[in-house]
Structure formats: structure tokens, C-alpha cells
Amino acid sequence: MAGPRGEYRKSAARRAQILDAAVEVFARTGYTGSSVSEIARVVGVSQTAVLHHFEGGKTALLMAVLEQRDALAVGALADHHGRAFIAELVEISRRQAAQRGVVQLYHVLSTEATAPDHPAHEYFRTRIGRILEGTTQAFAEARDAGDLKPGVDPHHAALSTLAMVEGLEMLWLNGLDVDMAEDIRHHIDQFLAAPL
Amino acid sequence: MAGPRGEYRKSAARRAQILDAAVEVFARTGYTGSSVSEIARVVGVSQTAVLHHFEGGKTALLMAVLEQRDALAVGALADHHGRAFIAELVEISRRQAAQRGVVQLYHVLSTEATAPDHPAHEYFRTRIGRILEGTTQAFAEARDAGDLKPGVDPHHAALSTLAMVEGLEMLWLNGLDVDMAEDIRHHIDQFLAAPL
């Protein structure tokens, strides 16, 4: 017998299903080319059911997808500092290789969102700025702990590492034979006093 | 009085106008989100006029845009070998910084095209494979001429340089303060016996 708590669980499960479908559809056709009706079709519910969970429609779905995914990555990094934070970047890359759809989603959406009138334009600008800030801080902590080679600039090392992560993901998505985690580890090692 | 040659010139000029508009519209909304009618509207002609020049419609426009742009880059690289080819990669980046729309176009389309059913999927896979091949060959020529540091592997140096180019473009498109040509030069210098 489904009491109020059973109803709540069913509703939360349906919301999660809709988010999974949105990830799939956005990754396949981009935000611009996607529709709420296509997402509803993938779940097997009506458009009205989707709009019941996401009143703001397609834009609300986009922001929910991004926030859910980023919460996972922020969680993985929050407890790490200095060299451990830098090492975690390699582990995140290793996990990405098993989640092609998610990597594709981020690249499709973040390139689309470089257009100033895209609903996620500010979101991605702010996001990459924060990631650069956090990574720069981790390299600065590593420097202060004596974990960097002499003369390495934390800001440059962070920018270069993020560019390498983005670029390797792109080459991997485009079908090149790339071991992302291994290549990022190799790239980072040039900055470290002792290799990862 | 416009004779046959005048008509031909007018037709070629109109075709070029349509291609410019396609670059603009594809870069703004991606291939999936674009329409022939929007491209026609930007030029100020009818859809029929666009289809007169590009019988295959939106797909034909996409391929024409990509082939035109790639012909420019291939032309810039064709006469260079070894260290001169590698130096030209930096110059291409310097020129890219003045063509935000084109860089955006490539990133939007090449990420969209990571979906296997996208009309340009094979085009981008083949393209990046050839670029990697050409760049690997240039690093191998540089090695044979004694222009690389001892122990540098041409394939790894090429892959790493292409990833850096792609990644820096992404960070730049997303609003970070990046000097693409300078950062790529700095990245390449780690492989060279004497800096660029």
C-alpha cells in the first residue's frame, strides 16, 4: 500500500528518470536541438508529467542536469588539497572514460553555451572560472608544501592542466585512441617534484 | 550590362554570401538547431534561392562550410615541414584569436558530430586523424633534423600539442583570459631543442 512516503519515493524516482533521459537527449542533439516532448518520449510519460517535475521546462531541465553532475565532481574534490587535489583530477578523468554520454553532454552544452544568449552561458563561464580558481589554489598549496618543481607558476600549471583535460576529452570524443587519465598524469608530472 | 561572365560573378558572390551566413548561424545555434530558412533570412533571399546554390540543403551547407575552412588551414600548413610546420601551428592560433565565430563554429559542430548519426561524424573523425598524422610527421621530421629534445616521442608530442590547442580554444571560448598562441608556444617549447 503506497502511503504518502511511498508516493514521495515514486515521485523522486520519476524525477530521476526524467533527468537521466534529459542527459541522454541533450548529449545526442544538444540543448538547442532537444525538446521536452522528446525527453518525455524517452521516459514514456506525457509532456505534462515532465512539466509537473520541471515547471521551467527545457531550461529548468538543463540547469538541473548541470547542477546534479557538478555536485558529484565538487564532492569528489572538496576534501582534497594540494597534491591530493591534483591527483584527484587524474582519478576524475579515469572515471570519465566510463561515462562517454556525460562527457559528450558537457562538451556539447559548454560549446553551445559560448553563445552569449544561451541560457547556460553565465553558468559555464562561472563554472570554468571557479574550477580554474580551485585548481590554481591546489597548485599553490602544492608549491607551499614543496611538491612543485622550482619556478612552476601555480596559475599557469592550473590553466595548462585544465586545457589538457578539455582537449584530451575532445580528441577522445572524436575517436582518437587516447588514454585520458594516463596522458593527464603525464602532463601534470612535468610540474611536480615527484611524479604522481 | 551583365553578360554571362557577369552573371557567373553574381552567382559566385551570392554563393559566398550564403556560406558566410551559414557560418554565422551554425556557430550561433549549432547544426541541429539551425534551419535553411534562418540562413536565407540572414542573407535576405528566399529558401529556394539557397537551395538553388546548395541542392542538398542544410547538410550540403554544412559540408561546404567545413571544406572551405579546412582548405584555408591545409593551405597554410602544406608548404611547411618539421620545425617550420610546428611553428605554423602557433601562427594559426594567433590568427584564430581574431576569428571567434569560426573557432566557435568548429567547436560547436565537432562536439555535436561526436554523435554517430550526425552527418559530419565521419568528416570530423577523419579530419582529426589526418591532423594528428600530419603533426606527428612534422615532429618526426624535427627529431630527424635534431630539433627535438632527446627522448621526445613524435606521436606523444603531436597528440599533446593538439589536445592543448583544442583545450585552450575551449577555455578561451568560455571566457577565460587566455593568450592561445603564447600558451601553445610555451607548451611546444618543452619538446624542442631550442625554443620557438
Side-chain angles (χ1 to χ4, degrees), chain B residues 150-177:
Chain B
V152 169
D153 172 54
H155 175 78
H156 170 260
L159 187 75
S160 160
T161 299
L162 293 185
M164 187 54 70
V165 168
E166 293 274 345
L168 285 170
E169 285 181 0
M170 263 312 295
L171 299 184
W172 176 68
L173 286 174
N174 272 288
L176 286 187
D177 182 22

Side-chain angles (χ1 to χ4, degrees), chain A residues 2-194:
Chain A
R5 291 178 59 199
E7 284 303 323
Y8 178 78
R9 272 201 303 274
K10 270 173 64 185
S11 173
R14 176 53 48 83
R15 189 176 188 282
Q17 268 185 319
I18 294 169
L19 275 183
D20 286 349
V23 168
E24 180 192 324
V25 173
F26 287 156
R28 196 167 64 229
T29 56
Y31 172 79
T32 311
S34 300
S35 65
V36 171
S37 67
E38 171 64 5
I39 293 165
R41 201 191 58 72
V42 168
V43 185
V45 299
S46 67
Q47 281 196 56
T48 313
V50 172
L51 295 173
H52 168 72
H53 287 276
F54 297 92
E55 278 181 36
K58 202 168 71 152
T59 311
L61 277 162
L62 172 67
M63 299 318 290
V65 163
L66 294 174
E67 280 159 14
Q68 183 198 44
R69 289 291 161 183
D70 275 348
L72 294 175
V74 169
L77 286 169
D79 296 335
H80 297 87
H81 294 280
R83 187 181 153 98
F85 180 107
I86 297 163
E88 185 62 23
L89 294 177
V90 177
E91 294 314 310
I92 290 176
S93 270
R94 205 180 304 282
R95 291 195 290 274
Q96 299 281 54
Q99 309 193 325
R100 187 181 167 88
V102 173
V103 178
Q104 194 182 3
L105 174 77
Y106 263 88
H107 281 263
V108 169
L109 294 179
S110 69
T111 50
E112 246 188 358
T114 58
D117 55 351
H118 192 281
H121 181 69
E122 276 312 305
Y123 180 87
F124 276 106
R125 280 184 80 100
T126 306
R127 177 177 182 271
I128 196 69
R130 288 212 182 123
I131 294 175
L132 177 59
E133 208 176 293
T135 310
T136 301
Q137 195 189 320
F139 273 104
E141 290 161 355
R143 180 198 55 197
D144 296 347
D147 287 334
L148 297 192
K149 283 185 184 151
V152 169
D153 172 56
H155 176 79
H156 169 262
L159 187 75
S160 161
T161 299
L162 293 185
M164 186 53 69
V165 169
E166 293 274 344
L168 286 170
E169 286 179 359
M170 263 312 294
L171 299 184
W172 176 69
L173 285 173
N174 271 289
L176 287 187
D177 182 22
V178 170
D179 183 337
M180 294 190 290
E182 222 20 56
D183 286 350
I184 288 160
R185 194 184 57 70
H186 190 259
H187 181 77
I188 289 174
D189 276 348
Q190 72 180 295
F191 304 122
L192 299 182

Side-chain angles (χ1 to χ4, degrees), chain B residues 59-130:
Chain B
T59 310
L61 277 163
L62 171 66
M63 299 317 291
V65 163
L66 294 175
E67 280 158 14
Q68 184 199 44
R69 289 291 161 180
D70 275 349
L72 293 175
V74 169
L77 286 169
D79 296 335
H80 297 88
H81 294 280
R83 188 181 151 97
F85 180 108
I86 297 163
E88 185 62 23
L89 294 177
V90 177
E91 293 315 308
I92 291 176
S93 270
R94 205 180 305 282
R95 291 196 290 274
Q96 298 281 56
Q99 309 192 325
R100 187 181 167 88
V102 173
V103 178
Q104 194 182 4
L105 174 77
Y106 263 88
H107 280 263
V108 170
L109 293 180
S110 69
T111 48
E112 245 188 358
T114 57
D117 55 352
H118 192 281
H121 182 68
E122 276 311 306
Y123 180 87
F124 276 106
R125 280 183 79 100
T126 306
R127 176 177 182 272
I128 195 71
R130 287 212 182 123

Side-chain angles (χ1 to χ4, degrees), chain B residues 129-160:
Chain B
R130 287 212 182 123
I131 294 174
L132 178 59
E133 210 177 293
T135 310
T136 301
Q137 195 188 318
F139 273 104
E141 289 161 357
R143 180 197 53 197
D144 296 347
D147 287 334
L148 297 193
K149 284 186 184 149
V152 169
D153 172 54
H155 175 78
H156 170 260
L159 187 75
S160 160

